Amino acid sequence: MGTILDALTFKFLTKLGQVIENEVVMTLSVNKDIKRLKNNLEHFSAIREDAEALAMEDKRIEAWWKNMSNVMFDIDVIIDLVMVHSQKLLLPPRSVCCNQSMISCFGKLSFDHRVARRIKDINEKLDEIKMNTEMFTLDRTTRQQFQVTIVDRRQTSPVDELEVVGTEIKQAGEDMVQMIVSSCRENRSSVFGIQGMGGIGKTTLAQKIYNEPLVREKFQVRIWLCISQSYTETGLIKQAIRMAGEKCDQLETKTELLPLLVDSIKGKSVLLVLDDVWKSDVWIDLFLSPFKRALNFHVLVTTRDLDVLAEMHATYTHQVNTMNYHDGLELLMKKSFQPYEQISEFKNVGYEIVKKCDGLPLAIKVVAGVLSTKRTTAEWKSIRDSKWSIHGLPKELGGPLYLSYSSLPPQLKECFLWCALLPPNFEIHRDSVAYWWVAEGLVRKEHGFSIHEIAEEYYLELVRRNLLQPVPEYVDKAVSTMHDLLRSLGQYLTKDHSLCMNVERIDAMSNLRRLGISHAVEEIPTLEEHKCLRSLLLFNNKNFKSMHKDIFRKLEHIRVLVLSGTSIKDIPDSVGNLVLLRLLDLSYTEINKLPESIGSLISLEYLSLLGCRQLDSLPAGLMRLSNISFLHLEQTSIDHVPKGIAKFQQLYNLRGVFESGTGFRLDELRCLPNIQRLWVSKLEEAMPGSELVLKNSRNLKELGLRCTMKMGTHDRTRYEHDKVWKIQQVYDMLVPSPSLEYIFLVGFPGTMFPEWLRSKPELNMPSLRQMHLDECISCSELPPAGQMPQLQFLKIKGADAIESIGEELLGKEAGSPAAIFPKLEVLQVIRMFSLRSWSLNTGNPSDSSQHISLMPCLKRLLLLDCPKLRALPRDMSNIVNLKRIHIEGAHKLQEVVDLPAVTWLKVKNNTRLRTISNLCKLQDLLAQDCPALDQAKNLCSLRRLYMVDCPHEQEFRKCLSEEQGVLVHVATVGADGRNIFPDESLYN
């Protein structure tokens, strides 16, 4: 698919063409040098596609590759410096004086001289590099260019990282569960081990054991710790305390934390999982002593080293073997195809590919990611016959892992490698990483899509190829992690210019371009000497407390600066020197002000101040930054947003803005044509106007509208009548664009929803996919959401005034469409404390003859904390695809009946629930804290029954047919509300 250098060459030639055509640049003396640079670079459009692989096999070519990579970084810097300088020359002077033109002239000459020298150096280096003719294939006639990969989310199969393929690993899991449970019954403390090579499935097996219902039942506390090679003791202790259910935010030292850990587990049965242990010290020196204070403890350890388990005196060790070829083929096909696709013709070549993966599950998965893009047996054979072994790569990183990387398009290669910069076990958020890639210049603009949309598709493509592993709790795959072996591969391939620092020093790296510093680093290195840095990322490192005042005079090439979760309180004025800085993330820091010099960050596109609770104002200079596309102001103490946001014509994502006296006004939103995501807060302080402020926001996809609202059950915020009337007028101004896909109303105090939501919303918002109505405490009637043609997700939460749900939700004209809620998949009704009745009857007697379809796509229903609701809607039996229902805190509900499609039901803390009947397809029933539940009827498909703290469980079980063979997993007393059921994410 071409090398990264191929992609960079294409990008730089495009940018150089734009630079040469720039009218301001044409006046500079460096224009001639830039043209020569462009001509010089064109020579590299013929770089061999296998240059990267050759560099690993040949030391001489490796030196060539390293030099070329450094030159490419330098070219990127020089192009951006020229463009930024041209923008500066177009800016109006901040002050006028008689010598202004002379100063500008000298500034231009100085810049010309410095840039000319650097371009000359680059051209000389390129001349030297071109001498190695072996790296070029000039007779190549085709070049593969990468186009944005639009992932069809409807065709992307759900990801279940706890899936287990193969009888051997399933049996091993069951055997170890029985050993652990038996040991717990006998009140013995034990250490159990799982040993095997990287990527072989140790963590998958440990997760299966950890989530088994029998294990959940036996242990009052379960703690899972991921142990990296460079863990910090305080970080691990904090995580253990949190997983034991306690808080430790204010404690920092080991001396303070250990007593709290002891208190959290003392006298309790505890399961501790230590995942990926490299040295036994973490148990022997750190956790053994405090865990002896537990009633009994059991430790499950995964490791690559048998010696570790011997030193920890493991009573049993399971060695994970490679997959047999039959199971490997099953996994390969499962990851390469959709369930409905015909795959028989691929099995023979698939079997041969599995053999080349040596039975390693991770290898099979990533190769399946490559094969999922191929749809002919000829293409599969081409993968089978391609070069798998790369000399020079560490053995565990070669073969299938490198194949999966080398098969990526060039832009995706860059994005994958960038993720290897992040700390071990780091949760990669789709929205954040998309902005990081854009700021680094890794995303190529394509016609018809915003650059941020393209970046999000890059992310989803890496997920689809199994190079990023989605966190199961997020059904939209918005959060993922990177397997440690894939991360190691990325770090090896970028070892000459990028580093994720855990505890190792960085003194030896002379051309360091990207540096990530994890929370594990206790001593922050001196950064000033690394003048080539373009990305500096610190995540949740409380040891980072201050910066030298002149640091940014040295690090002038920084593009991405992330200081999230650090203890920094002040940003030096020298930050204004970072004219190339595009992304500045100060979220959850302790800063109390921003320097005025931030107004000099001419390239800044992204600024996050989320959670900066000490920050109470914004500098006036911020309003000069015309390139801002993302601004996040939520959860701060800012009480005044300056005027001028209307000048930010590139704004794509604006969160937490609000009206404030003489500052920002809602009517400024009329001037933001590119806004796609918008959250407006403190709307109780806004003043109503006569114009519709969002009428020009034709691309708006997400809208959040929030009033300040206390969330306590008995402490709701109530506004005076006059203020409520004013707030409703403000909301009426905020008529969204028809392009809207997500709407969030949080804390709306009006008695009626805005006109645009309660009257024909299907015409006002025909593209709406999600509707969240949170804490709309005074509205007595819900909007007619049933008429919305694209709505997939609906949440109604905390609507205190609603006593009944009926035809108003379905729509006033519910008899006219062919379906009610035609695409709704998830419905959540939460904290509806006054709700007494719920009907799905349209009120139109002719509906039955017209064959109106009721919620034909609904799959999941969550009913939580509705204590007065007496019954589920009778018409719910007509919902043909409703598979999963979770009912909790419905204390008046006495029966769950007549739901023919439901396969999974969870009922918890429902004090009067007595009967579950006529659920003929129900396979899994999870019941907890239902003291009256004693009757079952017509549950003929039930296969698994979980009952916890249900005193009549024996009477209930007697109602079931003995021929069914129902597997009863749990029947216990004393869970104290703990959820010991399997993770709900396992059920798709």
Side-chain angles (χ1 to χ4, degrees):
M1 295 298 291
T3 66
I4 288 178
L5 294 185
D6 184 16
L8 292 177
T9 303
F10 177 85
K11 179 174 73 173
F12 294 155
L13 286 172
T14 303
K15 291 174 72 173
L16 281 169
Q18 296 169 349
V19 168
I20 291 170
E21 294 174 3
N22 186 290
E23 293 183 7
V24 176
V25 176
M26 290 175 66
T27 68
L28 302 175
S29 65
V30 296
N31 190 44
K32 184 172 67 173
D33 299 310
I34 293 172
K35 288 180 179 178
R36 184 187 166 209
L37 176 59
K38 182 174 183 291
N39 293 334
N40 223 338
L41 197 58
E42 286 174 348
H43 183 81
F44 292 88
S45 61
I47 296 172
R48 289 180 56 157
E49 289 198 357
D50 58 352
E52 189 173 26
L54 286 173
M56 281 181 279
E57 298 177 325
D58 188 314
K59 290 294 183 183
R60 186 170 57 90
I61 297 176
E62 181 184 20
W64 181 95
W65 180 266
K66 183 176 179 179
N67 289 337
M68 191 66 203
S69 299
N70 280 324
V71 170
M72 287 296 185
F73 280 122
D74 292 338
I75 291 172
D76 199 20
V77 169
I78 205 67
I79 293 174
D80 285 346
L81 282 174
V82 171
M83 293 302 291
V84 167
H85 185 66
S86 69
Q87 291 180 55
K88 278 188 170 183
L89 293 178
L90 291 173
L91 292 175
R94 296 187 194 175
S95 59
V96 179
C97 67
C98 60
N99 293 325
Q100 185 69 53
S101 60
M102 186 177 296
I103 293 172
S104 297
C105 181
F106 279 123
K108 190 175 88 165
L109 289 173
S110 173
F111 178 82
D112 277 7
H113 177 74
R114 287 185 289 116
V115 170
R117 179 68 259 173
R118 294 177 72 167
I119 296 177
K120 184 178 180 181
D121 290 343
I122 290 172
N123 279 321
E124 289 175 355
K125 290 178 182 177
L126 288 176
D127 288 336
E128 293 176 13
I129 290 171
K130 281 192 294 184
M131 297 299 289
N132 191 335
T133 57
E134 293 180 18
M135 295 311 302
F136 302 95
T137 309
L138 299 177
D139 60 347
R140 232 173 6 165
T141 57
T142 60
R143 302 290 296 172
Q144 297 191 49
Q145 293 298 338
F146 174 56
Q147 299 294 320
V148 60
T149 303
I150 301 299
V151 178
D152 186 346
R153 293 172 179 80
R154 295 169 298 177
Q155 302 300 320
T156 304
S157 59
V159 176
D160 177 8
E161 285 306 313
L162 299 187
E163 64 189 3
V164 177
V165 172
T167 55
E168 291 182 13
I169 192 170
K170 290 177 181 177
Q171 187 61 51
E174 293 173 5
D175 291 346
M176 292 192 74
V177 166
Q178 291 301 325
M179 289 183 207
I180 293 171
V181 170
S182 298
S183 182
C184 186
R185 287 196 193 109
E186 295 168 11
N187 219 19
R188 290 184 289 108
S189 295
S190 306
V191 176
F192 298 88
I194 300 174
Q195 185 270 334
M197 67 176 70
I200 203 168
K202 301 185 299 296
T203 300
T204 301
L205 177 57
Q207 286 176 325
K208 174 177 171 57
I209 296 167
Y210 184 79
N211 284 289
E212 274 295 321
L214 281 173
V215 172
R216 285 169 172 260
E217 175 194 1
K218 291 299 178 186
F219 294 98
Q220 294 168 285
V221 176
R222 293 180 310 135
I223 298 172
W224 181 292
L225 301 178
C226 296
I227 316 296
S228 65
Q229 293 187 61
S230 53
Y231 66 85
T232 63
E233 292 184 339
T234 54
L236 287 181
I237 298 170
K238 282 185 176 183
Q239 179 66 9
I241 291 170
R242 293 189 188 103
M243 294 205 73
E246 301 294 335
K247 294 181 179 180
C248 54
D249 296 338
Q250 305 303 316
L251 306 179
E252 295 296 334
T253 68
K254 180 179 175 181
T255 305
E256 295 172 320
L257 289 165
L258 281 176
L260 182 56
L261 175 60
V262 170
D263 288 343
S264 65
I265 61 177
K266 186 166 58 177
K268 298 177 181 177
S269 57
V270 183
L271 174 66
L272 172 66
V273 177
L274 301 176
D275 186 32
D276 198 21
V277 176
W278 291 77
K279 294 182 180 180
S280 58
D281 304 2
V282 69
W283 171 245
I284 297 170
D285 297 339
L286 183 60
F287 284 124
L288 177 57
S289 178
F291 273 78
K292 285 182 176 179
R293 306 291 295 276
L295 176 65
N296 61 70
F297 64 83
H298 296 78
V299 187
L300 180 60
V301 182
T302 74
T303 182
R304 303 181 192 187
D305 190 347
L306 276 173
D307 291 340
V308 168
L309 297 174
E311 292 164 4
M312 293 177 64
H313 304 294
T315 56
Y316 174 80
T317 295
H318 173 75
Q319 290 185 270
V320 182
N321 299 314
T322 55
M323 270 188 158
N324 63 58
Y325 293 152
H326 174 78
D327 292 337
L329 181 62
E330 180 187 349
L331 179 61
L332 184 80
M333 293 303 174
K334 188 173 184 178
K335 287 293 185 179
S336 300
F337 293 98
Q338 298 297 316
Y340 53 82
E341 291 184 287
Q342 297 296 320
I343 62 174
S344 57
E345 62 183 294
F346 292 88
K347 285 190 174 181
N348 288 336
V349 65
Y351 187 81
E352 294 171 345
I353 290 172
V354 167
K355 283 185 176 180
K356 297 188 75 170
C357 292
D358 293 328
L360 200 63
L362 176 64
I364 294 171
K365 286 182 181 181
V366 295
V367 170
V370 178
L371 296 173
S372 68
T373 66
K374 316 297 181 186
R375 280 298 174 263
T376 67
T377 53
E379 289 177 307
W380 277 46
K381 289 175 181 177
S382 174
I383 295 297
R384 177 198 64 190
D385 299 334
S386 61
K387 184 177 180 181
W388 285 48
S389 59
I390 301 292
H391 297 296
L393 262 180
K395 182 180 178 181
E396 70 272 14
L397 304 181
L401 299 190
Y402 182 76
L403 175 71
S404 66
Y405 161 77
S406 64
S407 299
L408 290 172
Q411 271 74 20
L412 284 182
K413 282 184 177 179
E414 289 192 277
C415 294
F416 167 79
L417 294 176
W418 203 96
C419 289
L421 182 67
L422 302 171
N425 308 308
F426 187 85
E427 289 196 342
I428 303 171
H429 288 253
R430 178 193 59 209
D431 297 340
S432 297
V433 78
Y435 273 102
W436 292 334
W437 292 339
V438 169
E440 268 271 23
L442 307 183
V443 183
R444 183 182 296 178
K445 187 73 183 290
E446 299 288 346
H447 179 70
F449 301 94
S450 76
I451 198 165
H452 304 95
E453 290 173 318
I454 295 169
E456 290 173 7
E457 298 302 337
Y458 284 10
Y459 168 88
L460 290 172
E461 182 66 8
L462 290 176
V463 168
R464 190 171 71 85
R465 289 172 177 257
N466 298 315
L467 294 173
L468 295 179
Q469 301 172 319
V471 176
E473 288 76 11
Y474 296 85
V475 294
D476 61 352
K477 305 179 179 64
V479 180
S480 63
T481 58
M482 178 177 272
H483 192 281
D484 58 349
L485 279 181
L486 289 168
R487 183 172 169 273
S488 296
L489 172 64
Q491 290 183 341
Y492 183 87
L493 295 174
T494 57
K495 64 183 185 298
D496 293 325
H497 55 72
S498 298
L499 172 67
C500 178
M501 183 181 176
N502 294 317
V503 294
E504 63 266 34
R505 300 182 63 81
I506 60 175
D507 300 342
M509 301 189 71
S510 58
N511 281 305
L512 190 61
R513 308 287 178 164
R514 298 180 179 125
L515 174 62
I517 301 177
S518 78
H519 70 278
V521 178
E522 298 185 4
E523 184 177 347
I524 307 300
T526 302
L527 301 171
E528 288 88 332
E529 62 197 63
H530 298 283
K531 297 180 181 180
C532 295
L533 270 180
R534 54 188 289 139
S535 285
L536 175 60
L537 305 95
L538 288 96
F539 298 102
N540 301 315
N541 192 311
K542 296 300 181 182
N543 300 312
F544 190 75
K545 298 178 180 179
S546 63
M547 307 180 81
H548 189 274
K549 66 177 182 178
D550 292 325
I551 184 173
F552 296 123
R553 300 190 194 283
K554 306 285 182 64
L555 305 179
E556 59 179 351
H557 296 159
I558 293 280
R559 285 166 166 74
V560 175
L561 180 58
V562 177
L563 304 176
S564 177
T566 62
S567 298
I568 193 167
K569 296 181 179 179
D570 298 297
I571 303 297
D573 286 336
S574 62
V575 73
N577 284 27
L578 303 181
V579 293
L580 299 183
L581 186 67
R582 293 175 184 162
L583 184 147
L584 178 58
D585 185 351
L586 301 173
S587 56
Y588 298 105
T589 58
E590 299 176 21
I591 60 168
N592 50 41
K593 72 172 185 176
L594 292 173
E596 191 62 37
S597 63
I598 203 168
S600 300
L601 302 179
I602 191 171
S603 302
L604 194 67
E605 298 174 2
Y606 176 111
L607 176 61
S608 177
L609 303 171
L610 170 66
C612 295
R613 299 190 182 277
Q614 308 301 317
L615 185 66
D616 57 12
S617 63
L618 294 172
L622 180 65
M623 297 300 111
R624 295 196 297 267
L625 304 181
S626 59
N627 287 322
I628 288 284
S629 67
F630 179 102
L631 182 60
H632 202 166
L633 304 175
E634 292 181 303
Q635 299 179 40
T636 68
S637 296
I638 295 172
D639 58 8
H640 182 83
V641 179
K643 273 189 177 180
I645 284 180
K647 299 174 185 176
F648 295 169
Q649 290 294 289
Q650 304 304 316
L651 260 177
Y652 173 86
N653 197 329
L654 176 62
R655 310 179 86 86
V657 72
F658 56 91
E659 278 198 5
S660 53
T662 58
F664 168 81
R665 305 284 297 180
L666 288 182
D667 57 12
E668 289 190 63
L669 298 175
R670 293 203 306 266
C671 305
L672 300 176
N674 295 309
I675 194 76
Q676 291 201 24
R677 302 182 188 277
L678 173 67
W679 277 73
V680 187
S681 301
K682 301 181 183 179
L683 279 167
E684 72 277 4
E685 298 181 6
M687 295 300 295
S690 56
E691 293 199 47
L692 303 179
V693 298
L694 298 177
K695 64 180 181 180
N696 296 328
S697 303
R698 296 183 179 89
N699 299 312
L700 191 64
K701 289 185 178 180
E702 177 182 339
L703 178 62
L705 304 176
R706 188 195 308 269
C707 285
T708 304
M709 185 74 60
K710 293 180 180 178
M711 297 303 167
T713 305
H714 304 293
D715 191 22
R716 306 282 206 196
T717 300
R718 304 282 178 178
Y719 292 102
E720 297 295 328
H721 181 268
D722 290 346
K723 193 157 191 176
V724 170
W725 181 78
K726 186 192 76 170
I727 292 172
Q728 291 195 166
Q729 285 187 305
V730 170
Y731 275 72
D732 286 337
M733 295 165 50
L734 296 166
V735 180
S737 161
S739 61
L740 198 70
E741 296 181 10
Y742 303 86
I743 181 73
F744 298 81
L745 263 62
V746 183
F748 176 66
T751 56
M752 294 186 298
F753 284 101
E755 175 69 20
W756 46 266
L757 188 57
R758 71 174 188 269
S759 178
K760 297 187 181 300
E762 68 275 15
L763 301 180
N764 298 323
M765 296 173 288
S767 303
L768 198 73
R769 294 167 53 196
Q770 291 197 20
M771 180 187 294
H772 299 249
L773 306 176
D774 291 357
E775 312 300 335
C776 301
I777 60 176
S778 300
C779 290
S780 58
E781 188 172 290
L782 294 170
Q787 304 302 297
M788 309 195 76
Q790 302 298 326
L791 192 66
Q792 296 174 312
F793 180 98
L794 173 62
K795 180 172 76 170
I796 307 164
K797 177 182 177 182
D800 291 358
I802 302 289
E803 295 187 4
S804 67
I805 297 176
E807 62 184 78
E808 77 287 347
L809 179 64
L810 307 179
K812 297 294 184 184
E813 301 176 9
S816 57
I820 297 170
F821 285 111
K823 292 192 176 181
L824 189 69
E825 295 183 14
V826 178
L827 175 59
Q828 297 183 350
V829 181
I830 303 171
R831 292 179 60 192
M832 300 281 282
F833 296 123
S834 302
L835 182 65
R836 297 175 183 274
S837 63
W838 181 9
S839 171
L840 293 174
N841 192 320
T842 65
N844 189 338
S846 64
D847 284 354
S848 57
S849 61
Q850 294 180 14
H851 303 290
I852 298 299
S853 180
L854 178 64
M855 300 183 182
C857 297
L858 186 68
K859 298 175 182 176
R860 301 186 179 191
L861 169 66
L862 171 63
L863 192 64
L864 180 62
D865 291 334
C866 300
K868 296 182 180 180
L869 182 66
R870 302 188 190 97
L872 297 178
R874 283 186 297 177
D875 292 288
M876 194 168 280
S877 60
N878 296 326
I879 302 177
V880 295
N881 285 306
L882 180 56
K883 305 294 185 186
R884 294 184 46 170
I885 299 181
H886 177 166
I887 304 173
E888 182 173 343
H891 298 303
K892 295 282 187 181
L893 188 69
Q894 296 186 37
E895 60 180 13
V896 177
V897 298
D898 302 329
L899 298 170
V902 172
T903 61
W904 184 94
L905 173 65
K906 179 177 180 178
V907 288
K908 181 178 179 181
N909 190 26
N910 305 296
T911 53
R912 295 191 185 181
L913 178 64
R914 186 176 182 186
T915 303
I916 298 175
S917 68
N918 293 335
L919 277 69
C920 56
K921 292 185 179 180
L922 186 67
Q923 296 181 14
D924 294 270
L925 174 57
L926 295 73
Q928 181 172 353
D929 292 321
C930 295
L933 183 61
D934 62 358
Q935 296 184 20
K937 183 179 180 182
N938 195 16
L939 306 182
C940 52
S941 298
L942 191 64
R943 293 293 176 266
R944 288 166 292 274
L945 172 64
Y946 304 76
M947 298 194 77
V948 181
D949 290 341
C950 297
H952 299 292
E953 58 92 8
Q954 291 187 359
E955 291 93 323
F956 187 88
R957 288 169 57 187
K958 286 178 182 178
C959 299
L960 303 175
S961 170
E962 293 183 4
E963 289 78 25
Q964 283 184 243
V966 177
L967 182 60
V968 180
H969 281 283
V970 177
T972 188
V973 176
D976 299 322
R978 289 180 296 119
N979 187 355
I980 64 174
F981 299 132
D983 285 347
E984 294 182 30
S985 60
L986 297 176
Y987 297 86
N988 293 304

